[in-house]
Amino acid sequence: MPSERIVGIDLGTTNSLVAFMEGDTPVVIPGDDGLNLVPSVVALDERDQIIVGNSARKYLIETPERAVYSIKRLMGRGIEDIQEELKLFPFRLAADMQAGEVLRIKLGDKTFTPPEISAFILRQLKRNAERFFNAPVTKAVITVPAYFNDAQRQATKDAGRIAGLEVLRLVNEPTAASLAYGLDKKQNGVVAVYDLGGGTFDISILKLHDGIFEVISTNGDTHLGGDDIDNLLIRIALDDIKGDMGLDVSRNGEAVATIRKAVIEAKIALSAQPSTKLDIELSGGKRYQREITREQFEQLAQPIIERTIGPCKQALKDAKLKPEQIGEAVLVGGSTRIPKVRALVEDMFQRTPHTDLNPDEVVALGAAVQANILSGGSTATENMLLLDVTPLSLGIEVAGGVTDKIILRNSTIPASATQYYTTQVDGQANVAIHVLQGERELAKDCRSLARFDLRGVPPMPAGMPRIEVKFLIDANGILHVSAREQRSGKEAEIEVQPSYGLTDDQVESMILDSFDYAEEDFRQRQVIEACNEAETILAALDKGKKSPAWEQLTSDERKQIAKLQKALNQVKAEDDYEAIRRAIDALNQGTMRLAELMMDSAVATALKGKTMDQADLGERPQAGHPVAKADFE
Amino acid sequence: MPGEATSTCWSCGTMRAVHFCSACGKVQPPVPADYFTFFALPRKLSLDTALLEREFYVLSRKLHPDVYAQSQPQEQEWSMEQSSLLNDAYRTLKDPIKRTEYLLRLEGVELEEQSKTATEKARATGEVKKQVVPPDLLEEVFELNMQLEELRMQKKMGEDDPALVEELRKHKSNLEEKYEALLAELKGHWNQWDKLVDSGSEDDRIKVRNQMLDLLNRRNYIRNLVRDVNEALEN
């Protein structure tokens, strides 16, 4: 039996995709709407059902309080980190949010954490893949911005678990993109990957060497992307509307969502044409119209685009390379379609960047390549190996509130460091350790990852214990800690208190909660499928009634069929899929003779025993087995 | 040879090499080893970094967790530990300074502790951490500090003295030259050390060891000076 397929998922700020390796080529799996991109929009409909993707987009405008976008910006963050975000994005936090707690976002009158909302998107992608393969999918590689910190990575992993996916690896997005490019290039040299997406910016510099993709340095900004340009344009439109028309619609969620949609369309149009028109219909029949030229747009966007320069320079410096030593530059992310962004990259790396692969899809394709590598590889990925780095230094708070760095940024992962601790007081049983991530000197300026309490240190005079604490950053960029008291050889117990993040228990309970939604989903899909089947057989029956065979039936047989038809029509209006299926079976049985009669004599003999819908060859779709059943296994 | 470990493979029972079983090829739990041993290298400082890189790639292909994604949890764990050791070892050995510092530490010099204690003491007393000025730099450092002070004063007053800035730039490039020259000098010590590894007296080794330590300290001192000059010029 072939091993289970591992899919590659790009969980993006604006759009998400799922891809897999078909033979030697990575391909994107489309959704049931036939589209490759699943917008990262989650909505709760009027029946409290979760809607994801394109069909959720209309809720952004119709019921903005029941929909959310760009949730990736909130992954692994605390309330004090997102004050800027709250000014610019219509995130609605639960009223009773406390500092230090995992964020909870309101959709209608329900609340969800960012990992749960991301899990809804992941589950949609999982379902798309299951429909495509007609087989369960439980393992995935998920991409994250290279500059994501430990908490953001952990939150992404949690989202995977909640969605019923075993996350075999978190891969950095620019690195994934380089894998997709590297597939057909197979050459050695230094590559710079510039990835400007909807909400995050990454720059990674890699050395390619006979199939080894070695990241030398990476840098970025996890809160910089196309979203920021949109927000700027929205603000200008709002100011205009207030100034010119005397209307303040900034607190009208529906109006803001309409403006947002319009400015995004304008932004996209301006990548292809020199000017475009904003034409927004406001409530009360008023219209806001404005011509916007590319030049104006570029002037506006310039400060945002220029924020990518600093990280690029730092990445070059860390790699100890000059721009002219970069062999190739690659563009990733939808925002790199903006001509001004391309010009900046060209200027920075002194060469025309590659754009051969669709910048929206290349990360997902790369994730599929990595998934293939993890599942044992194929001829296409033979010899390919990714060596990635940790984007941020790991440190420990020492006396005076200073950060003592123990694993430097751009260290190849897995990476480890060992520190020794002792006690200050006789018989002291606990030692507290504060772990930080970041480049700043002072602990307060770095990101607090966790506070560890070493417990059960054997009683000894002060300074005697020698506690060895091992810090290890795994291949996902996630920290693991273990400790041992060396004089007694006793494993010290560690109590981890992540500064932000879900505990294991919380994740477990969310997995259970998600089953409720999945159960609903499952039931709904069953009902839809059963109804479709009912429609098919009813249509076939209508056709049969017009055929001469109908007249050959006895009047009792005709009455019986009419009764069964009525029963099916009745039950079809309810949402009990099992009852619908029973009624379909009964009608199938009852129309068996009609089906036989409908065949011409020769075929009739051959098809003896076939049921109504089977006899009506060609019209009925293949029996759709519920793909998502695997969700619950 | 580090391959001559005496343990047996957990999987097939054959006597094994350090990282993998020589018979069945399975990854093994890491055994405590220093970074030189990990790469099967003698504890010498002159090192062919191109060769080291090749070896790093070869071992990465075999030890990286990606290779064990479908293996038993225990093997995954070992692969993670082994490849983190590999990465730590490579990062340390490929860099000439880190490599020298690491060797000195293996030889019993407590580099980190030295500076850490000094830093903490300085922080506790609120004093500026004192560093012994290398004698050959004494005169230059004296002059440089005067000029830095003058530049800071001028900046505070909003004045601009291009001649002084030019002087400082000259000092800076002079220091940077010295900094580079120290690396060449260090390589000389490496050769001495490497010769003594196989056949030297303990006293000779300690002598070279201390010379290297002194050189690293001087180098750090110059690096800090250059940083100070940069800060003064930029602000």
Side-chain angles (χ1 to χ4, degrees):
Chain A
M1 191 191 136
S3 59
E4 191 195 321
R5 281 199 183 84
I6 306 172
V7 293
I9 290 177
D10 172 5
L11 182 60
T13 308
T14 315
N15 293 301
S16 297
L17 301 91
V18 56
F20 85 112
M21 204 66 168
E22 189 169 47
D24 287 346
T25 326
V27 289
V28 178
I29 298 172
D32 51 2
D33 51 10
L35 301 173
N36 281 355
L37 298 185
V38 173
S40 304
V41 180
V42 173
L44 199 64
D45 73 5
E46 49 292 340
R47 295 186 304 134
D48 276 356
Q49 290 294 299
I50 291 290
I51 314 285
V52 176
N54 278 306
S55 36
R57 286 216 303 209
K58 65 171 184 179
Y59 293 90
L60 285 178
I61 291 179
E62 289 170 7
T63 51
E65 74 286 354
R66 300 181 74 89
V68 62
Y69 66 92
S70 293
I71 192 65
K72 192 172 178 178
R73 288 199 171 232
L74 304 190
M75 291 287 272
R77 314 204 98 210
I79 190 162
E80 53 275 45
D81 304 325
I82 59 157
Q83 291 310 310
E84 282 306 303
E85 250 77 19
L86 290 180
K87 283 182 208 155
L88 298 167
F89 291 86
F91 292 124
R92 299 181 330 122
L93 295 184
D96 58 342
M97 277 288 319
Q98 313 262 320
E101 185 188 5
V102 175
L103 297 171
R104 280 176 290 124
I105 305 298
K106 275 175 81 174
L107 288 184
D109 49 13
K110 296 193 183 251
T111 63
F112 300 95
T113 61
E116 285 175 289
I117 294 171
S118 296
F120 290 130
I121 302 169
L122 289 173
R123 191 175 297 111
Q124 179 67 46
L125 298 171
K126 176 181 192 286
R127 194 178 299 147
N128 289 351
E130 287 174 339
R131 188 188 302 109
F132 187 86
F133 297 134
N134 203 13
V137 170
T138 59
K139 292 176 178 172
V141 166
I142 302 180
T143 62
V144 289
Y147 217 55
F148 252 19
N149 65 29
D150 185 90
Q152 291 167 307
R153 285 167 196 269
Q154 193 62 59
T156 307
K157 229 183 152 191
D158 290 342
R161 269 178 74 196
I162 297 167
L165 287 168
E166 186 189 342
V167 182
L168 293 188
R169 180 76 75 245
L170 295 176
V171 185
N172 293 331
E173 285 156 10
T175 324
S178 75
L179 280 180
Y181 267 98
L183 258 194
D184 38 56
K185 297 262 173 350
K186 291 249 160 97
Q187 58 191 22
N188 295 339
V190 180
V191 178
V193 184
Y194 179 101
D195 180 356
L196 187 60
T200 59
F201 170 67
D202 282 327
I203 173 78
S204 286
I205 296 174
L206 294 99
K207 192 162 126 189
L208 271 51
H209 181 91
D210 295 341
I212 289 191
F213 290 65
E214 185 186 8
V215 180
I216 312 173
S217 69
T218 194
N219 211 293
D221 186 335
T222 57
H223 290 84
L224 172 60
D227 271 355
D228 296 290
I229 297 176
D230 303 344
N231 286 332
L232 201 65
L233 294 173
I234 293 169
R235 206 156 53 209
I236 288 168
L238 286 173
D239 286 351
D240 263 11
I241 292 169
K242 199 173 173 185
D244 300 350
M245 306 164 70
L247 269 178
D248 184 1
V249 292
S250 60
R251 296 190 175 280
N252 177 341
E254 197 180 315
V256 173
T258 311
I259 294 168
R260 177 170 176 266
K261 186 164 175 272
V263 299
I264 291 173
E265 281 162 9
K267 174 182 78 173
I268 292 170
L270 286 172
S271 286
Q273 60 204 53
S275 82
T276 190
K277 213 167 169 184
L278 276 176
D279 186 356
I280 299 163
E281 198 176 315
L282 298 161
S283 55
K286 295 199 174 163
R287 292 190 96 81
Y288 166 64
Q289 286 176 310
R290 184 198 164 130
E291 176 90 13
I292 174 164
T293 66
R294 186 187 282 175
E295 207 186 335
Q296 288 171 320
F297 170 77
E298 286 176 347
Q299 247 172 21
L300 282 171
Q302 189 71 4
I304 291 167
I305 296 172
E306 277 179 356
R307 278 169 60 199
T308 66
I309 294 176
C312 288
K313 286 194 169 154
Q314 189 61 52
L316 278 169
K317 198 174 162 197
D318 287 353
K320 298 191 178 77
L321 290 172
K322 297 203 160 42
E324 57 270 23
Q325 289 173 284
I326 300 292
E328 320 261 351
V330 170
L331 291 181
V332 183
S335 301
T336 61
R337 289 206 175 86
I338 298 171
K340 198 77 182 170
V341 172
R342 295 196 172 185
L344 180 140
V345 177
E346 204 164 330
D347 196 44
M348 172 74 67
F349 298 107
Q350 297 166 24
R351 67 203 59 249
T352 313
H354 283 278
T355 52
D356 336 359
L357 295 176
N358 182 339
D360 291 323
E361 294 184 354
V362 59
V363 168
L365 297 176
V369 174
Q370 178 67 4
N372 182 269
I373 293 171
L374 294 186
S375 63
S378 62
T379 39
T381 60
E382 207 181 6
N383 271 326
M384 280 174 86
L385 177 68
L386 197 56
L387 299 176
D388 221 318
V389 300
T390 179
L392 297 157
S393 300
L394 187 80
I396 304 293
E397 181 172 346
V398 294
V402 174
T403 313
D404 181 18
K405 291 189 184 128
I406 56 169
I407 298 178
L408 295 182
R409 69 164 184 270
N410 296 321
S411 294
T412 305
I413 50 175
S416 63
T418 307
Q419 293 285 105
Y420 296 93
Y421 291 87
T422 189
T423 49
Q424 252 108 49
V425 185
D426 287 350
Q428 186 181 336
N430 295 355
V431 175
I433 303 172
H434 189 196
V435 188
L436 304 149
Q437 204 170 28
E439 309 311 320
R440 304 283 295 275
E441 284 297 313
L442 294 178
K444 69 175 175 63
D445 297 326
C446 287
R447 170 83 190 183
S448 167
L449 278 194
R451 289 176 191 273
F452 297 97
D453 245 345
L454 299 180
R455 286 168 192 277
V457 177
M460 276 185 246
M464 267 299 279
R466 190 170 152 87
I467 307 155
E468 182 191 81
V469 181
K470 195 171 176 201
F471 299 86
L472 192 146
I473 300 178
D474 70 13
N476 299 316
I478 291 178
L479 176 69
H480 302 257
V481 184
S482 60
R484 206 161 54 94
E485 201 290 303
Q486 287 203 309
R487 296 200 200 279
S488 63
K490 201 178 155 190
E491 291 273 338
E493 186 189 324
I494 307 178
E495 190 169 302
V496 186
Q497 212 142 36
S499 301
Y500 302 95
L502 301 165
T503 62
D504 260 8
D505 286 348
Q506 283 173 309
V507 172
E508 287 299 330
S509 100
M510 284 171 186
I511 294 173
L512 291 177
D513 286 350
S514 79
F515 281 140
D516 292 343
Y517 284 99
E519 190 75 52
E520 283 296 327
D521 287 358
F522 174 76
R523 288 184 52 83
Q524 229 190 329
R525 235 169 326 137
Q526 292 289 333
V527 171
I528 292 167
E529 276 167 14
C531 283
N532 287 342
E533 218 167 300
E535 293 298 344
T536 312
I537 186 173
L538 289 169
L541 179 59
D542 281 343
K543 216 165 140 193
K545 280 180 178 173
K546 287 175 199 132
S547 78
W550 181 250
E551 301 306 323
Q552 286 173 258
L553 294 177
T554 66
S555 72
D556 274 359
E557 281 172 330
R558 286 200 290 255
K559 261 187 215 153
Q560 175 65 11
I561 290 175
K563 208 177 112 194
L564 292 170
Q565 185 184 10
K566 200 178 158 203
L568 178 57
N569 269 319
Q570 245 165 20
V571 80
K572 191 163 69 75
E574 292 154 25
D575 59 358
D576 182 350
Y577 69 89
E578 281 165 348
I580 302 173
R581 292 232 173 260
R582 277 196 300 273
I584 292 173
D585 286 345
L587 185 61
N588 256 333
Q589 288 297 321
T591 53
M592 194 107 68
R593 209 172 90 79
L594 175 64
E596 282 169 18
L597 291 168
M598 278 170 73
M599 309 281 166
D600 71 53
S601 56
V603 180
T605 335
L607 291 184
K608 205 157 192 152
K610 295 282 159 165
T611 59
M612 182 75 195
D613 62 329
Q614 284 166 322
D616 194 32
L617 301 162
E619 266 189 39
R620 187 174 143 41
Q622 286 297 303
H625 267 289
V627 185
K629 194 154 179 289
D631 272 355
F632 321 103
E633 282 169 2
Chain B
M1 276 294 290
E4 294 158 15
T6 48
S7 36
T8 53
C9 169
W10 61 270
S11 178
C12 73
T14 309
M15 299 296 276
R16 68 172 177 88
V18 170
H19 314 304
F20 314 97
C21 171
S22 48
C24 73
K26 294 247 186 193
V27 68
Q28 303 295 319
V31 287
D34 67 69
Y35 294 160
F36 290 96
T37 311
F38 191 93
F39 273 105
L41 289 167
R43 220 181 256 193
K44 290 183 178 176
L45 286 166
S46 301
L47 201 152
D48 181 345
T49 46
L51 205 71
L52 183 74
E53 186 188 57
R54 262 206 300 283
E55 190 59 18
F56 169 67
Y57 287 150
V58 167
L59 285 173
S60 289
R61 283 188 196 282
K62 292 185 185 169
L63 289 175
H64 196 275
D66 282 5
V67 184
Y68 297 87
Q70 307 282 338
S71 304
Q72 298 303 311
Q74 181 63 79
E75 276 177 85
Q76 293 190 359
E77 183 82 25
W78 288 335
S79 125
M80 182 166 77
E81 285 175 24
Q82 287 270 25
S83 68
S84 78
L85 252 174
L86 168 66
N87 291 335
D88 298 342
Y90 178 57
R91 188 164 50 248
T92 305
L93 295 186
K94 74 175 170 186
D95 181 273
I97 303 301
K98 283 195 189 126
R99 176 164 76 234
T100 311
E101 287 175 343
Y102 180 72
L103 183 113
L104 289 177
R105 225 174 288 133
L106 285 181
E107 293 295 321
V109 179
E110 297 197 332
L111 282 171
E112 262 172 2
E113 274 73 9
Q114 260 187 356
S115 72
K116 212 183 252 175
T117 336
T119 312
E120 272 168 21
K121 203 167 154 194
R123 208 171 279 139
T125 56
E127 278 171 46
V128 180
K129 191 166 130 190
K130 266 199 197 138
Q131 271 185 306
V132 184
V133 184
D136 59 323
L137 288 174
L138 214 68
E139 204 175 322
E140 186 166 6
V141 168
F142 184 71
E143 198 188 327
L144 184 69
N145 277 335
M146 296 250 295
Q147 289 174 341
L148 281 176
E149 197 50 42
E150 204 181 327
L151 183 74
R152 287 187 196 114
M153 284 296 286
Q154 284 183 358
K155 289 220 167 169
K156 224 180 247 171
M157 309 290 283
E159 287 165 22
D160 190 26
D161 183 351
L164 181 62
V165 169
E166 189 48 40
E167 272 294 304
L168 278 166
R169 282 195 206 284
K170 231 183 265 168
H171 269 300
K172 192 183 128 186
S173 70
N174 193 13
L175 284 170
E176 281 169 343
E177 257 170 51
K178 279 209 170 85
Y179 189 71
E180 290 308 313
L182 282 177
L183 192 60
E185 204 180 312
L186 182 63
K187 283 179 179 160
H189 292 320
W190 287 356
N191 291 333
Q192 279 178 289
W193 173 265
D194 292 350
K195 275 186 208 128
L196 293 169
V197 168
D198 302 319
S199 64
S201 75
E202 181 72 17
D203 284 354
D204 286 344
R205 273 204 293 268
I206 289 176
K207 199 175 130 217
V208 181
R209 194 189 80 183
N210 288 343
Q211 281 170 344
M212 287 195 280
L213 185 61
D214 176 59
L215 189 144
L216 289 178
N217 283 338
R218 257 197 298 167
R219 197 167 177 277
N220 279 344
Y221 187 84
I222 294 177
R223 190 187 57 201
N224 292 346
L225 274 183
V226 171
R227 196 187 56 203
D228 288 350
V229 177
N230 278 337
E231 268 172 22
L233 286 174
E234 276 165 26
N235 281 331

